[in-house]
Amino acid sequence: MALLVGNVNLPDDAAAYAAAVAGMLKLPAGQVVSVQLIRRSLDARKHPPLRKGVFKVEVRDEAAVLRRAIPSVRAWTERDDARYGVGDAGAPRPVAVPAGARAIVVGAGPAGLFAALWLAEAGLSVLLLDRGGPTEARVPAVNDFWRRRTTIDPENNLLFGEGGAGTFSDGKIYTRRRDGEIGYVLRRFVDFGADPSILEEGWAHLGTDRVRAILPVFRARLAELGAEVRYHARVDDLIVETGRCVGVVLADGARERASAVVMAPGHSARDTVRMLVARGATVERRPVAIGARIEHPQAVIDDARYGEGRRGDLPAASYRLAWHPPEGPKARTFCMCPGGMVVPAMNAAERVVVNGMSFAAQRAFWANAAVIVELGPEVYGGGQDPLAGYAWQDAIERAAFEAGGGDHSAPAQRVVDLQRGQVSGSLPKSSYPLGLRPADLRSVLPPAVIGGMLSAIDDFSRQLRGFAGEDALLIAPETRTTSPVGFLRTEHGESQGLPGLFPSGEGAGWGGGIVSCAIDGVKTARGVVATLPLTVGVA
């Protein structure tokens, strides 16, 4: 038996961890048998900030400690092994696969990659398909677009290809979900080259540069397991027989059959989603969350969080803010990128979409985050059309392209000028690589979004000094935070309406970031195995 001990003031020297835990438990040091740091975080509410730790602890008399009912102390459970990545909890056991059983996974973003990995580890034959290219082909194409504004390749771009949208975003691997699969996901990242410290960090961050280094190793591991990985292979149709999905049809006419098809297309493969709906997959309209990126000098955030001039050797400060007004839409910050940059995030010409990313070192001059407003599906109209949200998003992205001058510059406005209702006469320097153009964001974003953002910013500026200061800059629009479409699934993750199809990840409405999508990919893979006639079960 062991204990989970949280809220421990973390000393700088790891050799002193046991003494710190013993002090919190009010035990002699000799009563503590072992301590294992499993999470660490920074409490910036204190000055100076406090480092906090969560430990797995063995003591000589656990029952006696538990009887004292100490806050932040409880018995360790098997679920904690999976949640915190201890051992190999969450990994599949090899299964006896029926002759000819095969899984096709469409989409090599986080959901698709982890679904393919888990299935391959379980012993299934796996074919992974993606319409875009491998990392080695994507990065030069995207860099060329950023430098020279070349034509966007509709199949190999910022959103399509190995790693999905996450390859050119922040690489943040924090999620509020606490499914048992999270430990498995983080351990596999470490196996493929991530710093082992991500298993301990409460706000773990890979950095886009490390994501790009991990992906080829991930691909190599799939090949070692016998999975076939095929890029530049867009799926244009499904093979449906007697009401069941039994394979896919590729753009080149090739037909691939399978026992199950995992569909993880990402949030921007709108043509794929339309095809799935036409083929009978059941979907529903989902709420949306859109807004703009807010950018500050990183020093503004550091001073607000740590105290003026007190950052020292502390990491670039971050924040997470939420606004729940008594009336009106909720709003929050999303994907905060300390020491990062605002980047383009479109996969088609004549649109502007923005996102944020940081490299691993987080040393850029700026900090940014999305300020997004949560709205119900009624905001995009379209009656009962399940795909009306796509048209609504697209109209906003086209308006942003026009407001930015038609050359993929992004429309931007100082926060103070949006509050005053005027176009900015000048803009501060920005990290956005394609340039900015002063604009009235009211011409880009719907009134409900503008109103929600202004209400939230007023509240956030009370929580974080300088949030609405003269250097605070809004860059629009951030439209791809959530999918307006959600696929309805059975308890095993199979499509309601089209058996044999397993929708997964952000584009299916079941994730919202690298780790939550990876977790959903693992859960989907478990569902695939649960529906096959195997002779050996999977834990």
Side-chain angles (χ1 to χ4, degrees), residues 46-64:
K46 308 291 185 182
H47 293 290
L50 292 177
R51 298 183 187 274
K52 295 284 188 177
V54 178
F55 289 84
K56 182 180 183 180
V57 179
E58 293 183 354
V59 298
R60 298 195 184 281
D61 190 349
E62 288 104 340

Side-chain angles (χ1 to χ4, degrees), residues 177-423:
R177 290 173 64 167
R178 287 296 177 261
D179 306 62
E181 287 82 4
I182 187 172
Y184 168 81
V185 168
L186 297 184
R187 282 195 315 278
R188 290 299 178 265
F189 277 129
V190 172
D191 292 343
F192 302 146
D195 191 317
S197 66
I198 68 169
L199 296 173
E200 301 172 351
E201 292 291 345
W203 285 84
H205 172 260
L206 292 173
T208 189
D209 46 340
R210 289 186 181 169
V211 171
R212 297 173 196 177
I214 287 168
L215 287 169
V217 182
F218 201 130
R219 184 198 323 147
R221 177 56 180 157
L222 287 171
E224 288 175 5
L225 291 166
E228 180 185 355
V229 181
R230 199 182 303 173
Y231 292 103
H232 305 295
R234 189 181 74 236
V235 170
D236 279 355
D237 201 359
L238 301 179
I239 304 172
V240 179
E241 296 177 356
T242 62
R244 181 177 184 86
C245 177
V246 296
V248 299
V249 181
L250 277 65
D252 63 3
R255 298 168 70 86
E256 299 285 350
R257 298 180 69 88
S259 309
V261 174
V262 175
M263 188 64 65
H267 58 46
S268 295
R270 294 166 173 170
D271 53 352
T272 302
V273 172
R274 291 189 181 97
M275 178 271 292
L276 296 176
V277 172
R279 275 300 194 173
T282 306
V283 296
E284 66 179 359
R285 294 151 57 97
R286 290 280 177 90
V288 288
I290 76 163
R293 281 270 149 183
I294 188 166
E295 186 173 62
H296 304 87
Q298 179 63 49
V300 171
I301 308 303
D302 292 340
D303 288 350
R305 297 292 283 162
Y306 297 144
E308 191 167 353
R310 293 183 178 179
R311 174 179 166 182
D313 62 353
L314 293 169
S318 62
Y319 57 83
R320 185 180 63 176
L321 305 171
W323 170 231
H324 296 168
E327 295 182 2
K330 297 178 182 178
R332 56 188 168 91
T333 59
F334 173 77
C335 187
M336 194 273 157
C337 303
M341 59 187 294
V342 180
V343 295
M346 47 276 194
N347 61 306
E350 298 186 359
R351 278 88 168 165
V352 168
V353 186
V354 298
N355 194 7
M357 77 178 193
S358 299
F359 291 101
Q362 299 182 328
R363 291 176 181 165
F365 177 81
W366 295 275
N368 72 80
V371 177
I372 54 175
V373 180
E374 300 175 6
L375 300 168
E378 65 278 358
V379 73
Y380 49 80
Q384 296 304 308
D385 180 3
L387 303 180
Y390 285 158
W392 185 73
Q393 288 176 328
D394 195 60
I396 293 170
E397 294 161 12
R398 288 179 178 275
F401 180 77
E402 295 297 326
D407 62 356
H408 291 115
S409 297
Q413 191 171 17
R414 292 179 187 264
V415 168
V416 293
D417 290 326
L418 180 65
Q419 291 171 324
R420 296 165 183 160
Q422 62 188 33
V423 176

Side-chain angles (χ1 to χ4, degrees), residues 465-489:
R465 181 168 51 86
F467 194 84
E470 287 290 331
D471 289 327
L473 179 66
L474 288 166
I475 304 170
E478 175 122 354
T479 50
R480 308 286 180 97
T481 300
T482 56
S483 172
V485 171
F487 284 80
L488 301 184
R489 307 191 300 194

Side-chain angles (χ1 to χ4, degrees), residues 1-6 8 17-18 21 25 32-39 53-59 62 72-82 84-87 89:
M1 180 179 175
L3 302 173
L4 185 146
V5 180
V8 178
Y17 287 171
V21 171
L25 297 178
V32 177
V33 177
S34 68
V35 297
Q36 178 183 355
L37 178 65
I38 56 173
R39 281 291 184 274
V54 178
F55 289 84
K56 182 180 183 180
V57 179
E58 293 183 354
V59 298
E62 288 104 340
S72 302
V73 177
R74 62 169 173 81
W76 185 272
T77 68
E78 286 188 10
R79 182 174 175 81
D80 292 322
D81 286 332
Y84 292 110
V86 177

Side-chain angles (χ1 to χ4, degrees), residues 91-94 116-124 184 188 192 221 225:
R93 293 195 300 267
L117 177 67
W118 200 94
L119 289 167
E121 288 183 351
L124 272 73
Y184 168 81
R188 290 299 178 265
F192 302 146
R221 177 56 180 157
L225 291 166

Side-chain angles (χ1 to χ4, degrees), residues 131-146:
R131 67 194 300 168
T135 304
E136 298 87 343
R138 285 188 77 193
V139 172
V142 169
N143 286 342
D144 197 43
F145 170 64
W146 287 3

